[in-house]
Amino acid sequence: MKKFLACTIIAFLLVNCKKAVKEDTQQRGVITKSAMVVSAREEASKIGTDILKKGGNAFDAMVATELALAVSFPFAGNIGGGGFMVYRKANGELGSIDYREKAPLSASKDMFLDESGNVIPNKSTLGAMAIGVPGTVAGVFAVHEKLGSLPIETILEPVIALAYKGVVVTKKQEERIQYYQSYFNKVNKDSIVFNKPWKENDTIKYPALARTLERLLTHGKDGFYKGEVARVLAKFIQENGGIITEEDFAKYEVKWRNPIVFEYDDLKIISMAPPSSGGVCLAQIMKMIEPFDLHEFGHNTLKTIQVITEAERRAYADRSYYLGDPDFIKIPLDTLLSHTYVTKRMRDFEENKATRSSDVSHGNIQIIESDETTHYSIIDQFGNAISATTTLNGAYGSKLYCSELGFFLNNEMDDFSSKPGVPNMFGVTGGEANSIAPEKRMLSSMTPTIVEKNGKLLMSVGTPGGSTIITSVLQTILNVHEFNMSMQEAVNAPRFHHQWLPDEIRMEPNLFNATTIKNLQNLGYSINEKDSPVIGKVDGILVLKDKSLEGGADYRGDDTAVGF
Ligand code: DON
């Protein structure tokens, strides 16, 4: 017994020493004591933090950050798009809001097909037909009304001031603007502010956007969805060949939804419900991998990559068949998330060879276009946390820019399944569940997520990346939980992705061990290191043991953590 006790003590010390050494050598991100905002641009993180400093809560800061991203990060930040936000209040109350775009009233199932029933190239991605009815302005006003604490003027004023003053161009932004010139020219009849050869350190001012935002000061969300702005915007879209009307704007409404909540080891994960596939897919994958000892297997080793890949393959196959807008279709959520079902899904997993996606189901394969969205995480000084992901879908959305109002419009219609089995720009296929219908919301992969441990807030995390969003969020959580990484290390670590179809593991190039890749290939896995130079741009906040906050801001973008 004594011997047993001694052994136990030694084992305990060894484990904890190992952990302590690990923690000492961890490379940490920005650490603050009370509150933090992490987003794609320093300007937006600062404006959000300033709102917190003024005594505002995470929800006030969410409104400010979301709109500041619309000004400072036009690549993806928006008032012409939509998003999702998951929250956990300091008292443990959970919730989420869906401000996803909707298909216009005159949308139809076959609107992107030609007479022979084939998908018309680019129609759902470029120009006015690609636009879904935007939800962002309705989203921030709903959040403010239900959960905010500061007057809306206090929140909007710094954002409007930023739009008038202008935003400094970063190197990455310079490259992006250059890259998309031909698209801007193709889609827009007149030249737009981004047609100039903007260089790093130039300042771009956005007076038209500032004036549009000023309308919200006086008219609230109706300043966007009714009256002058709705009239100008509907006319502009129609003149450019689109079908959105003033009625579409007037009818837009957000949805408060119950988040998807599930357990993984001693963690409670809170994520977005349909019409985002994020929460369901994340839950399925995590439930499928839970029985395996990933900690023992090691980070990005053959076994870990294999187990995660096989779970992802099965979850994405389900995503494609079962998921869509819950207001239009019946989703068998209870079954999809049940222990019995996910266990059954993994039953045919074999350690010594890759499962073939064609044996799980079938579909076509297409090359993936580059893409953008943006995520931000906020924890306030009161202990409230939010996790929000917002998007125009592709980079600069439909590329159609309304100069009079000062913003880009989304190309979210491409997230519908234009034709069953034909992949969209992220290479994901869909079926009837995600077919187009008037006023329906298109299926998303956005996965704003909050994690609790032992009943306490642990993390707020999320990312852009189209279909790779879910798997990037997954890996970030696992990096912290299974592999003892700091928040910043978890964000920095190389990422991989499998989405059922195409049947390949995409990896960030030159970051994975060559022998591991060889061994995966020997098991029958196809590895693609070409098409995804970057997988996700994760931003997150981790609550440390002493209750201070660590930001993980992704080096893959201009992302920045700011706080106090
Ligand atoms: O909702 C979705 O899943 C997509 N519209 C997200 C697009 C995206 O993440 C592009 N960014 N990298």
Side-chain angles (χ1 to χ4, degrees):
M1 185 69 189
K2 248 194 192 155
K3 202 171 156 202
F4 171 77
L5 199 66
C7 286
T8 312
I9 292 169
I10 290 167
F12 176 83
L13 286 175
L14 277 177
V15 167
N16 283 279
C17 283
K18 212 172 113 205
K19 246 190 138 183
V21 170
K22 175 73 183 117
E23 278 178 8
D24 277 354
T25 55
Q26 274 175 336
Q27 179 213 334
R28 292 264 179 212
V30 169
I31 305 223
T32 65
K33 216 163 158 276
S34 320
M36 187 177 281
V37 180
V38 191
S39 81
R41 283 289 305 224
E42 188 176 2
E43 292 82 350
S45 297
K46 270 196 176 140
I47 283 185
T49 302
D50 287 346
I51 290 298
L52 297 176
K53 279 189 185 151
K54 283 183 185 152
N57 62 21
F59 305 103
D60 297 315
M62 180 249 165
V63 176
T65 309
E66 175 94 21
L67 296 177
L69 283 167
V71 177
S72 59
F73 194 55
F75 191 47
N78 66 82
I79 56 171
F84 299 99
M85 187 271 280
V86 172
Y87 66 85
R88 180 188 186 276
K89 285 172 57 171
N91 65 6
E93 193 184 311
L94 307 176
S96 69
I97 184 169
D98 158 0
Y99 51 102
R100 179 73 160 166
E101 299 91 328
K102 295 175 69 170
L105 285 159
S106 54
S108 59
K109 192 171 166 174
D110 296 338
M111 64 189 274
F112 296 120
L113 304 185
D114 64 16
E115 277 157 16
S116 323
N118 297 318
V119 174
I120 303 166
N122 298 334
K123 199 172 176 186
S124 66
T125 55
L126 273 184
M129 282 300 282
I131 305 168
V133 184
T136 298
V137 172
V140 295
F141 273 91
V143 169
H144 182 254
E145 194 183 335
K146 180 167 165 166
L147 300 158
S149 65
L150 293 181
I152 195 73
E153 297 75 24
T154 312
I155 299 170
L156 289 183
E157 267 155 17
V159 181
I160 294 168
L162 178 70
Y164 276 123
K165 182 172 144 244
V167 184
V168 174
V169 175
T170 65
K171 187 73 200 152
K172 290 190 171 103
Q173 191 181 11
E174 176 193 318
E175 287 160 7
R176 283 192 299 255
I177 292 176
Q178 246 167 41
Y179 179 83
Y180 286 101
Q181 282 305 316
S182 61
Y183 293 93
F184 298 150
N185 290 332
K186 191 168 169 185
V187 170
N188 291 281
K189 291 182 186 159
D190 301 315
S191 88
I192 64 169
V193 61
F194 297 99
N195 277 133
K196 296 202 190 90
W198 294 106
K199 289 268 167 286
E200 185 182 9
N201 294 325
D202 285 350
T203 297
I204 311 183
K205 297 187 177 188
Y206 301 99
L209 178 56
R211 285 191 295 274
T212 301
L213 292 170
E214 275 169 345
R215 293 190 157 272
L216 308 181
L217 274 181
T218 14
H219 305 287
K221 95 170 172 59
D222 287 352
F224 185 89
Y225 291 94
K226 290 181 179 160
E228 182 69 2
V229 169
R231 198 180 55 71
V232 170
L233 200 48
K235 185 161 169 277
F236 174 77
I237 291 171
Q238 286 164 31
E239 280 170 0
N240 280 281
I243 52 173
I244 293 180
T245 61
E246 278 184 72
E247 190 186 357
D248 280 308
F249 287 114
K251 287 192 80 171
Y252 183 85
E253 84 293 351
V254 301
K255 296 271 166 145
W256 293 95
R257 300 198 187 268
N258 291 327
I260 298 288
V261 181
F262 63 96
E263 269 157 31
Y264 176 87
D265 291 350
D266 56 354
L267 303 181
K268 180 157 124 186
I269 318 271
I270 303 124
S271 194
M272 196 62 219
S276 180
S277 61
V280 174
C281 243
L282 184 67
Q284 285 196 310
I285 298 169
M286 293 191 88
K287 289 275 160 215
M288 285 187 226
I289 64 178
E290 198 174 21
F292 299 87
D293 193 347
L294 297 191
H295 176 76
E296 180 63 30
F297 295 170
H299 178 247
N300 281 352
T301 56
L302 174 73
K303 271 182 147 181
T304 295
I305 295 176
Q306 191 189 8
V307 166
I308 293 177
T309 295
E310 292 303 342
E312 289 175 354
R313 184 196 310 280
R314 288 156 176 82
Y316 275 81
D318 278 358
R319 175 197 192 276
S320 165
Y321 188 76
Y322 290 109
L323 302 188
D325 182 346
D327 298 338
F328 282 71
I329 57 154
K330 180 120 191 58
I331 303 175
L333 267 190
D334 290 346
T335 309
L336 287 173
L337 300 176
S338 75
H339 178 72
T340 323
Y341 177 78
V342 291
T343 312
K344 212 164 97 200
R345 285 294 272 159
M346 273 304 257
R347 210 170 275 162
D348 58 352
F349 163 66
E350 287 179 73
E351 228 176 87
N352 56 359
K353 71 170 202 293
T355 308
R356 283 189 312 217
S357 284
S358 53
D359 291 340
V360 176
S361 199
H362 31 224
N364 294 325
I365 296 168
Q366 209 176 45
I367 293 301
I368 319 295
E369 198 205 275
S370 89
D371 45 61
E372 241 345 310
T373 286
T374 192
H375 172 84
Y376 55 98
S377 284
I378 302 176
I379 297 182
D380 69 20
Q381 61 278 29
F382 312 109
N384 302 301
I386 71 106
S387 177
T389 314
T390 180
T391 189
L392 289 166
N393 194 23
Y396 304 104
S398 61
K399 324 292 189 260
L400 186 64
Y401 184 82
C402 180
S403 294
E404 190 175 343
L405 300 172
F407 58 91
F408 279 106
L409 290 146
N410 69 81
N411 60 348
E412 218 71 61
M413 290 298 285
D414 189 63
D415 271 348
F416 279 117
S417 168
S418 295
K419 184 180 174 177
V422 176
N424 73 0
M425 69 188 224
F426 299 110
V428 283
T429 45
E432 194 49 42
N434 190 30
S435 62
I436 306 171
E439 295 200 88
K440 190 173 174 184
R441 285 155 144 92
M442 51 298 278
L443 183 63
S444 172
S445 298
M446 290 191 275
T447 314
T449 299
I450 288 177
V451 182
E452 268 182 26
K453 186 171 178 153
N454 302 325
K456 300 222 170 66
L457 176 65
L458 179 71
M459 193 192 296
S460 164
V461 64
T463 181
S467 51
T468 69
I469 290 176
I470 303 164
T471 56
S472 299
V473 168
L474 165 79
Q475 287 166 82
T476 311
I477 297 172
L478 294 176
N479 288 347
V480 170
H481 178 72
E482 297 283 4
F483 307 117
N484 300 325
M485 291 188 202
S486 73
M487 189 76 243
Q488 190 61 55
E489 288 171 336
V491 165
N492 291 354
R495 291 191 275 266
F496 64 94
H497 170 78
H498 195 290
Q499 59 180 40
W500 175 52
L501 292 171
D503 191 350
E504 62 182 19
I505 304 177
R506 272 193 269 158
M507 286 179 167
E508 290 183 310
N510 310 320
L511 295 174
F512 285 79
N513 181 288
T515 313
T516 307
I517 292 182
K518 256 262 117 349
N519 290 338
L520 282 163
Q521 284 165 332
N522 288 341
L523 290 176
Y525 292 94
S526 162
I527 307 293
N528 176 351
E529 282 189 284
K530 272 193 340 281
D531 289 334
S532 305
V534 153
I535 296 182
K537 278 188 207 135
V538 178
D539 284 341
I541 306 175
L542 182 68
V543 181
L544 303 178
K545 285 207 183 89
D546 66 357
K547 301 222 169 62
S548 60
L549 305 173
E550 184 200 348
D554 207 321
Y555 75 92
R556 295 163 178 87
D558 293 319
D559 305 45
T560 312
V562 178
F564 55 89

